[in-house]
Amino acid sequence: MQQVAIVTGAGRGIGLAIAERLATEATQVAIFELDRQLGEEAVLRLKENGKQACFYQCNVAQPDSVASACAALEHDLGAPQVLVNNAGVIRDNRLEKICEEDWNTVIDTNLKSAFLMCKAVVPLMRKAGGGKIVNITSRAWLGSIGQVNYSASKGGLVSLTRSLALELASDFINVNAVAPGLIDTPMVRSLPEHVRERLIQAQPTRKMGRPEDIAAAVAFLTSDEAQFITGQVLNVCGGKSVGLSLL
Ligand SMILES: NC(=O)c1ccc[n+]([C@@H]2O[C@H](COP(=O)([O-])OP(=O)(O)OC[C@H]3O[C@@H](n4cnc5c(N)ncnc54)[C@H](O)[C@@H]3O)[C@@H](O)[C@H]2O)c1
C-alpha cells in the first residue's frame, strides 16, 4: 500500500531534504508550504527525480489554513502515516529588542503549528491504525543568547513531543523530535556573515551540518526500525549539545 508523508515547510532547506529523502515509489510526500512558488518548485524537482510529491499551500500557524489543507489531503490521498513538523522561523534579538509581534510569530510558527497539525492529523492516523510524528526542534532549546523567543518555541516543542508520545503510545503512533545544530540552509545564510562565522567557530566540528544529515535522522525515526522509540529527542548537531568545545 502507498504511504503518505506530510512535511511542513518543505519548499527549501531542511524540509526539502526531508521530502526528497522520504519520497519514494512507495511514499507520496505532501509538501505543506506557505510560499506557493517554493512549494511548486519543490514538487517539480522531486518529480524530475522520479519521486512522488504534491503541494498544499498552507500557513501552519493558522488553524483554518491547516484544517483546509489537511481536509484536501485526506480527500486526495487518504490518511497520512507520517507527519514531519518542520516549518520554522527565526526573529533573533536580545530580550529588550524583541517586540511582541516577533514573539508571537516565532511561537505560532514553530510551536502552535505542531499543535494544530497534530490535532488535524492524529485522528486520521488513529483511523489508519498508527503512524509516526517527528518534530524538528533545535539544539537551541537548551538555551541560546539572542533567541529567547526561538529557544522557548523549540523547548515547548520538546515538551509537546514527550507528552504527546505518552498520550499516543497505545495508538501505535510514535512521536519523536530531531534537534539540529547549525545546518547550511537559506535560514542560516540569511544571517550576517560575521554572526554565521561566529556560530561556525562555536561548533565542535568547526563546520555546519547539511540538510541531508537531518533528513537521515528523520528517515530512521519514521522507519519500522524505530517502532520502539518514542518521546525522544535525537540531537543531530555535531556534538554542540554536549557542551563547550574550547580548551
Ligand atoms: N538551519 C539550521 O541551522 C537549523 C538549526 C536548528 C533547527 N532548525 C529548524 O529546522 C527547520 C527548518 O529550518 P531551515 O533552516 O530549513 O529554514 P528555512 O527558512 O530555510 O526553510 C523554512 C521553510 O518553512 C517555510 N515556512 C515558514 N513559515 C511557514 C508557515 N507559517 N507555514 C508553512 N511554511 C512555512 C518557509 O517558506 C521555508 O520554505 C525549522 O524549524 C528550524 O527552526 C534549523
Side-chain angles (χ1 to χ4, degrees):
M1 199 186 70
Q2 190 190 54
Q3 277 221 119
V4 175
I6 300 176
V7 184
T8 70
R12 68 183 196 188
I14 291 172
L16 178 58
I18 294 170
E20 287 186 307
R21 177 72 196 246
L22 296 186
T24 60
E25 252 175 46
T27 303
Q28 165 96 263
V29 169
I31 289 174
F32 276 37
E33 169 61 55
L34 180 62
D35 186 310
R36 175 169 289 281
Q37 193 182 338
L38 286 179
E40 288 176 346
E41 281 171 6
V43 167
L44 212 62
R45 179 169 157 158
L46 265 72
K47 286 191 169 162
E48 277 170 5
N49 291 325
K51 297 180 171 179
Q52 295 195 76
C54 49
F55 167 56
Y56 294 88
Q57 189 170 26
C58 179
N59 181 349
V60 292
Q62 292 294 332
D64 292 348
S65 182
V66 168
S68 61
C70 288
L73 170 103
E74 189 191 8
H75 173 267
D76 299 343
L77 304 172
Q81 288 78 21
V82 170
L83 166 63
V84 183
N85 288 310
N86 163 79
V89 291
I90 45 173
R91 295 287 184 276
D92 294 353
N93 236 322
R94 295 275 184 150
L95 175 69
E96 54 278 17
K97 289 188 178 159
I98 295 179
C99 62
E100 192 180 343
E101 192 189 339
D102 284 349
W103 172 268
N104 289 339
T105 299
V106 169
I107 298 293
D108 288 356
T109 309
N110 299 3
L111 177 58
K112 191 172 91 178
S113 59
F115 160 70
L116 295 173
M117 286 298 303
C118 290
K119 224 170 140 56
V121 165
V122 162
L124 307 179
M125 284 183 170
R126 268 206 188 102
K127 264 198 269 173
K132 303 267 192 334
I133 298 173
V134 178
N135 296 317
I136 306 300
T137 174
S138 168
R139 200 282 326 161
W141 85 276
L142 294 167
S144 181
I145 291 173
Q147 292 196 308
V148 293
N149 48 1
Y150 184 75
S151 63
S153 73
K154 296 299 188 178
L157 206 47
V158 170
S159 299
L160 180 150
T161 300
R162 292 166 59 97
S163 296
L164 200 57
L166 293 174
E167 282 190 23
L168 300 181
S170 57
D171 293 308
F172 307 105
I173 300 175
N174 301 45
V175 189
N176 290 293
V178 171
L182 192 66
I183 306 294
D184 188 6
T185 69
M187 178 190 273
V188 168
R189 273 176 249 137
S190 73
L191 297 169
E193 199 177 337
H194 70 279
V195 173
R196 202 166 59 241
E197 200 41 48
R198 250 201 350 251
L199 290 172
I200 292 170
Q201 289 314 315
Q203 298 297 306
T205 53
R206 307 281 184 268
K207 62 175 192 176
M208 291 195 267
R210 304 162 307 149
E212 293 76 14
D213 297 324
I214 307 307
V218 172
F220 167 62
L221 288 172
T222 56
S223 73
D224 289 343
E225 307 289 307
Q227 55 99 15
F228 205 50
I229 301 175
T230 197
Q232 305 303 310
V233 180
L234 179 52
N235 294 299
V236 184
C237 61
K240 184 85 195 309
S241 62
V242 177
L244 283 178
S245 63
L246 299 172
L247 280 175

